[in-house]
Amino acid sequence: MERLVFYVLVFGALVKAQHCPGRCICQTISPTLTLLCAKTGMLFVPTSIDRKTVELRLTDNFITAVRRKDFLNMTSLVHLTLSRNTISQIAPHAFVGLKALRALHMDGNRLTVINSDQLQGLINLRHLILGNNQIHHIELSSFDEFVSTIEDLDLSYNNLRTLPWEAIARMTNINTLTLDHNLIDHICVGTFTLLTKLVRLDMTSNRLQTLPPDTLFQQAQVLSDPKASSSSKLTVSFGGNPLHCNCELLWLRRLTREDDLETCASPELLMDRYFWSIQEEEFICEPPLITKHQVTKSYVMEGQGVTLKCKAMGDPDPTIHWRFPDGKLVHNNSRTILYDNGTLDILITTLKDSGAFNCVASNAAGIATAAVEVNMTPLPLIVNNTGHMREADPGLSDITTSTKSGSNDTKPQNKRVVVENLNANSAVIHWPSERHIPGIRMYQIQYNSTVDDTLVYR
Ligand SMILES: *[C@@H]1O[C@H](CO)[C@@H](O)[C@H](O)[C@H]1NC(C)=O
Ligand SMILES: *[C@@H]1O[C@H](CO)[C@@H](O)[C@H](O)[C@H]1NC(C)=O
Ligand SMILES: *[C@@H]1O[C@H](CO)[C@@H](O)[C@H](O)[C@H]1NC(C)=O
Ligand SMILES: *[C@@H]1O[C@H](CO)[C@@H](O)[C@H](O)[C@H]1NC(C)=O
Ligand SMILES: *[C@@H]1O[C@H](CO)[C@@H](O)[C@H](O)[C@H]1NC(C)=O
Ligand SMILES: *[C@@H]1O[C@H](CO)[C@@H](O)[C@H](O)[C@H]1NC(C)=O
């Protein structure tokens, strides 16, 4: 044994003479070349590193940035540790070419953002350790290169409010997902469904009020049976979150787990009580109750705007939809805006808006509806100068469309309205002067769109 150590030291010293940068320790146990450069006061990654290095440890230095050239051509590098430096920048494509890299440790640095081009090229990555940084944003495609290889992802102790959940949902080889001590306030439904190799999920100390039910957690219940093989047991930790203990968390309570100390933050009745000690019957939801439904004005002139308001209480917070008097669901478009607070803005009314709009409030416990009456006043149509009015008649359009300038029928162009440059969003409309007809006060332009139905502008 002593002889072996001696041999390694001598060989290491030999290598050092050729490649070993600064105060690093370089070891070659053929064919593996290892560079240990911890606590050597480095300010940047040394350029003299042997490009055939397999393991590189640069822990506890003062490196501030990862540059494009730092790890160029290091195609044999398997393990890279940059923990506890002061790195705040990673150059785009800095890791491109590291196709053998399996472990990247960058915990304890000063990263704030992960961009999609920074982790590019890491096609074999198994362990990505980014804990203890100040990361507040991760671009959606940042993890794309290694979603199918990654086994261990650590993003703990950062400032993350959200994650690229869609990418995480595709990490089918992941066994450890460490997300504790962030500001995460929601988890997308179905995120964990395909992550069948997951053994440990740590969501401790975030801002989660609820957890969406997931089939994977249902399996956790079965596997927490002591007779099941311990290797496939899933541990989920979510203590230190402000859990809102209503009927939406009943599924979680029904899992058999006694070993955790999670508490509820709300509703008031359950505040600070241990999650697992609360009876199932106490996880209650309240169906919606509409507390306010009104329209800003009782009579609306055709074409004018109007605002309809609706508010509802309930637990969980009800979401609000509106239905037109004809029963159709209101969507956001150029004529109607539906705000999340239940307010519906109709920017331009039509006669079809006459009647009872229905506000529909719904949550996990039920549905409530309330009608809001809109009274439309049609615009008068003045047909001649005797002052006599009649109802507007939405008759046939006399617009001729000439999208091609090829046709040369001058006769209708003189008499009729012509539309030119017609495309999906705009058109130029010409119509002949009608000064010979007295009393024209306005023109009415009506268009038919599949999105907005018929609109009338004046
Ligand atoms: C990387 O490899 C390329 C092509 O093999 C070579 O031209 C370049 O000098 C190498 N760079 C370093 C830093 O070794
Ligand atoms: C409609 O648009 C408003 C304002 O842009 C937005 O707040 C709201 O979320 C949108 N509603 C839907 C259902 O997309
Ligand atoms: C709802 O939200 C919109 C847009 O933020 C705002 O203009 C409107 O005043 C709000 N309505 C109510 C009733 O709070
Ligand atoms: C004006 O309108 C009235 C009522 O519709 C009609 O009797 C009359 O003939 C019209 N006059 C002209 C000049 O069109
Ligand atoms: C259309 O008519 C105008 C004048 O009447 C003429 O200058 C033009 O060449 C004609 N275009 C075609 C395509 O026939
Ligand atoms: C609008 O256009 C669609 C499709 O061309 C048609 O089915 C519908 O009847 C039109 N509506 C009106 C009011 O003209």
Side-chain angles (χ1 to χ4, degrees), residues 19 61 65 78 112 120 160 181 217 291 304 349 353 424 457:
H19 308 284
N61 284 294
V78 172
T112 55
Q120 231 169 43
L160 290 162
H181 294 89
F217 298 142
T291 54
Q304 281 185 333
T349 52
D353 294 328
Y457 289 102

Side-chain angles (χ1 to χ4, degrees), residues 51 69 72-73:
R51 297 287 129 185
K69 62 182 174 184
L72 208 61
N73 295 355

Side-chain angles (χ1 to χ4, degrees), residues 158-438:
N158 278 291
N159 299 326
L160 290 162
R161 282 170 202 282
T162 187
L163 287 171
W165 290 116
E166 186 270 335
I168 288 177
R170 287 183 288 134
M171 295 180 175
T172 47
N173 264 316
I174 198 149
N175 59 51
T176 306
L177 185 54
T178 313
L179 303 172
D180 57 292
H181 294 89
N182 276 286
L183 308 169
I184 298 166
D185 58 11
H186 86 288
I187 297 178
C188 288
V189 180
T191 298
F192 307 110
T193 309
L194 301 176
L195 311 186
T196 50
K197 295 190 181 165
L198 200 62
V199 172
R200 211 182 92 107
L201 170 62
D202 193 348
M203 295 288 317
T204 311
S205 292
N206 275 283
R207 295 204 176 156
L208 293 170
Q209 293 196 304
T210 195
L211 284 173
D214 205 298
T215 50
L216 192 75
F217 298 142
Q218 308 289 346
Q219 287 168 26
Q221 176 187 24
V222 178
L223 294 170
S224 68
D225 180 340
K227 276 171 255 165
S229 84
S230 60
S231 64
S232 53
K233 197 163 157 179
L234 169 66
T235 313
V236 182
S237 313
F238 55 90
N241 280 286
L243 292 182
H244 180 61
C245 297
N246 66 6
C247 72
E248 290 182 305
L249 277 184
L250 196 53
W251 71 271
L252 186 63
R253 176 63 187 84
R254 285 184 176 152
L255 303 184
T256 344
R257 304 246 318 266
E258 302 89 25
D259 51 337
D260 296 299
L261 295 176
E262 291 85 6
T263 55
C264 297
S266 58
E268 215 169 323
L269 213 59
L270 300 179
M271 194 157 60
D272 294 334
R273 288 190 41 198
Y274 287 119
F275 185 84
W276 302 100
S277 69
I278 299 169
Q279 299 300 308
E280 283 186 20
E281 310 82 71
E282 295 182 79
F283 287 81
I284 301 166
C285 282
E286 303 281 351
L289 178 68
I290 293 176
T291 54
K292 181 175 160 186
H293 53 106
Q294 62 187 51
V295 60
T296 44
K297 43 191 160 188
S298 18
Y299 289 90
V300 188
M301 188 71 89
E302 183 188 356
Q304 281 185 333
V306 68
T307 299
L308 283 67
K309 288 181 183 166
C310 186
K311 273 200 190 309
M313 310 187 309
D315 182 8
D317 281 337
T319 51
I320 290 178
H321 303 280
W322 283 91
R323 288 190 179 280
F324 285 110
D326 66 2
K328 280 189 192 147
L329 206 59
V330 176
H331 296 286
N332 271 353
N333 61 34
S334 63
R335 196 171 83 86
T336 50
I337 302 173
L338 176 55
Y339 294 103
D340 297 336
N341 60 14
T343 297
L344 169 62
D345 264 347
I346 305 178
L347 305 175
I348 303 152
T349 52
T350 73
L351 286 181
K352 281 198 214 159
D353 294 328
S354 224
F357 279 70
N358 268 297
C359 161
V360 183
S362 55
N363 70 8
I367 291 182
T369 60
V372 174
E373 195 76 31
V374 172
N375 300 299
M376 295 300 304
T377 309
L379 269 182
L381 187 70
I382 300 162
V383 280
N384 61 27
N385 63 349
T386 64
H388 189 103
M389 299 173 187
R390 67 170 174 83
E391 291 294 294
D393 168 23
L396 286 175
S397 168
D398 57 356
I399 297 178
T400 58
T401 337
S402 67
T403 39
K404 289 179 196 134
S405 53
S407 83
N408 222 1
D409 196 353
T410 50
K411 197 182 157 209
Q413 271 183 9
N414 281 340
K415 278 197 162 178
R416 310 187 71 141
V417 179
V418 177
V419 179
E420 281 169 346
N421 307 332
L422 183 68
N423 64 37
N425 306 312
S426 66
V428 179
I429 302 170
H430 299 280
W431 61 86
S433 162
E434 298 196 337
R435 264 188 228 124
H436 60 284
I437 306 174

